Amino acid sequence: MTIAVSRSAPGDLAEGAESKLRRADAVGAVESLDIRGLQPGLNDLAVEADATVALASDASEDSEAVADALAETFGVTDVAVTAVRSVPPDVRESRGDSRAGRNAKRSGNGADGAAVAGE
């Protein structure tokens, strides 16, 4: 996927891309982000990335629906979801100390599934 990150965004490039992904309704948390490329623009940086996200509790686990939800987010384009998997309840509960669990708790969303998006 391609994520437009403002040059004036707080934090580093990865934090800017993760912040943009977290705005998608389907995303409960960003578990990992792998930057694959970078194209500088006048006001922003086009970041080509692969990401694994924890889905919001009310998000569909259909790969097309997840891709559509990500693509509806301003600045996120060329989305291809390569996998969607359910996360068993015992794993979700054990993730309380993980970054995904903390982000889900902060945003008020539970993480019921995960999706891998990229090229």
Side-chain angles (χ1 to χ4, degrees), residues 2-3 12 18 23 25-26 36 42-44 46-47 69 86 97 102-103 107:
T2 302
I3 307 164
D12 63 20
E18 287 181 15
R23 294 178 189 162
D25 291 337
R36 301 284 187 182
L42 181 61
N43 296 315
D44 59 20
V47 178
S86 293
D97 293 331
R102 286 194 313 270
N103 288 342
S107 67

Side-chain angles (χ1 to χ4, degrees), residues 1-5 13-14 16-24 26-27 29-39 45-55 63 65-84 114-119:
M1 80 180 80
T2 302
I3 307 164
V5 178
L13 188 62
E18 287 181 15
S19 174
K20 185 81 66 141
L21 289 178
R22 281 194 303 270
R23 294 178 189 162
V27 175
V30 177
E31 292 183 347
S32 68
L33 180 79
D34 186 20
I35 296 176
R36 301 284 187 182
L38 179 67
Q39 182 68 32
L45 302 166
V47 178
E48 294 176 30
D50 293 336
T52 300
V53 299
L55 299 177
S63 60
V66 174
D68 289 345
L70 288 168
E72 287 175 3
T73 305
F74 179 77
V76 179
T77 58
D78 302 325
V79 177
V81 173
T82 57
V84 176
V116 179
E119 292 186 57

